[in-house]
Amino acid sequence: MITMVPKAELHCHLEGAASPDLVRRLAARHSVVLPSETFDENGDFAWSDFLHFLKVYDIASSVIRTPEDYRDVTYQYLMDCAAEGAIYVEVMSSPDHAAAVGMSYTAHLEGIVAGIEDARTDSGIEGRIIVTCVRHLGPERGVEVARQVVAHPHDLVTGFGMGGDENAFEPRDFAPAFEIVHASGLPCTVHAGEVAGAESVRAALDALPVQRLGHGVRAIEDPDLVRELVDKQIVLEVCPGSNIATGVYDNYSDHPLLALRDAGCRITLNSDDPPYFGTSIGQEYDRASNLFGLDDTALREVTMTAIDAAFADPETKRKLREKASL
Ligand code: ADE
Ligand code: ZN
């Protein structure tokens, strides 16, 4: 049962949105044989912990090799979201994953743009792209990705971010990369407070020009930091299903979504890497209803928060607010 409250998603990794079936189809398209341990006996992605997840994610992503592949991944994901009632989705793209299989920044972008435009035509869903760097690949690669973002501006590329292993390097190491993009006028977000604690969130907030945080949930470990998030109106891209799947929290009753919300933090709901974590944007809204007790009014507020915090132009936001109120 997917609640029909209009939904908006700010945090989904495009390479992590490709279903196992699509990954197998793309592997066949390129005559690539993936290691059998990429999948479990049910055909789902097989991984054991967060760092192993990142490895399997890299392997599965390596079959996305052409603009057409990126188009197909984007189109299928957005159409699935639209079928669950999503009206707006920001997808994070990773030029480093594209480069690992020989694809240029502009080639990967061309495919994603085609996927967004085709899905908009076929379903009405609106999409934007947040280009991300990968933290464990280091600051120089981050600067390289940032330079490409600025060198190839596109109407649908509306933000910059960073994922990867939160325990690698320090946020300040990536300040040069973020400053390049920020100086060009694009807003930024960063993963923090997912697999590391409140000190990691504070380090990210102190060093990087971000308006939103990917996850950010472990800020709950420091009440002063929670107050700072409230004061600065930092929006949290909360991904409860992801946090349970990766073991950040053992179960939903331990998850701090409600505590953060009650403290005044601005909360959105997101799927992160849906097929890896057995989730979807619709299921995140459903669980927020069934497990966190958010009624339809509260869920609609979550959508309005996402629209407010979206990296999109004012006219697009106006139209989205109108749609979300229906
Ligand atoms: N890249 C893809 N999924 C991620 C996650 N959940 N955290 C950090 N980096 C990621
Ligand atoms: Zn993420």
Side-chain angles (χ1 to χ4, degrees), residues 5 15-16 54 60 64 69 80 115 120 122 129 170 250:
V5 170
E15 293 82 6
L54 288 178
I64 309 171
D69 297 348
D80 288 350
R120 184 199 290 129
D122 292 351
I129 303 161
E170 290 295 327
D250 287 340

Side-chain angles (χ1 to χ4, degrees), residues 13 15-16 52-61 97 273 276:
H13 301 262
E15 293 82 6
H52 185 226
F53 152 72
L54 288 178
K55 286 202 179 98
V56 174
Y57 174 95
D58 285 349
I59 292 166
S61 302
H97 283 85
D273 302 281
Y276 290 84

Side-chain angles (χ1 to χ4, degrees), residues 34-49:
L34 286 169
S36 58
E37 61 270 22
T38 309
F39 304 104
D40 67 15
E41 62 282 3
N42 300 317
D44 295 325
F45 293 122
W47 53 277
S48 52
D49 58 22

Side-chain angles (χ1 to χ4, degrees), residues 114-258:
I116 290 176
E117 288 176 345
D118 290 351
R120 184 199 290 129
T121 301
D122 292 351
S123 72
I125 194 167
E126 197 57 70
R128 292 292 185 274
I129 303 161
I130 301 176
V131 176
T132 55
C133 61
V134 179
R135 183 158 170 169
H136 54 270
L137 296 183
E140 287 84 16
R141 297 276 284 274
V143 164
E144 187 49 36
V145 173
R147 286 199 179 122
Q148 285 174 326
V149 171
V150 173
H152 305 283
H154 190 287
D155 283 353
L156 295 183
V157 175
T158 54
F160 181 72
M162 177 166 72
D165 181 4
E166 192 182 344
N167 288 308
F169 300 96
E170 290 295 327
R172 65 172 174 273
D173 300 330
F174 296 90
F178 278 75
E179 284 305 333
I180 287 169
V181 182
H182 184 62
S184 82
L186 284 188
C188 301
T189 177
V190 67
H191 283 64
E194 179 190 18
V195 296
E199 70 292 346
S200 169
V201 178
R202 187 175 291 286
L205 275 186
D206 287 350
L208 304 175
V210 293
Q211 306 177 4
R212 305 189 330 218
L213 289 172
H215 299 275
V217 284
R218 292 189 55 190
I220 197 71
E221 295 162 17
D222 178 348
D224 289 340
L225 177 59
V226 172
R227 269 189 291 278
E228 191 176 329
L229 295 180
V230 175
D231 290 347
K232 291 186 170 160
Q233 302 195 28
I234 300 287
V235 170
L236 303 184
E237 304 157 7
V238 182
C239 312
S242 161
N243 296 152
I244 302 304
T246 60
V248 174
Y249 299 103
D250 287 340
N251 50 59
Y252 284 95
S253 46
D254 290 342
H255 195 283
L257 179 139
L258 286 179

Side-chain angles (χ1 to χ4, degrees), residues 85-108:
I87 57 173
Y88 180 76
V89 170
E90 287 178 9
V91 290
M92 284 178 275
S93 88
S94 170
D96 285 307
H97 283 85
V101 288
M103 215 186 318
S104 70
Y105 178 83
T106 49
H108 109 292

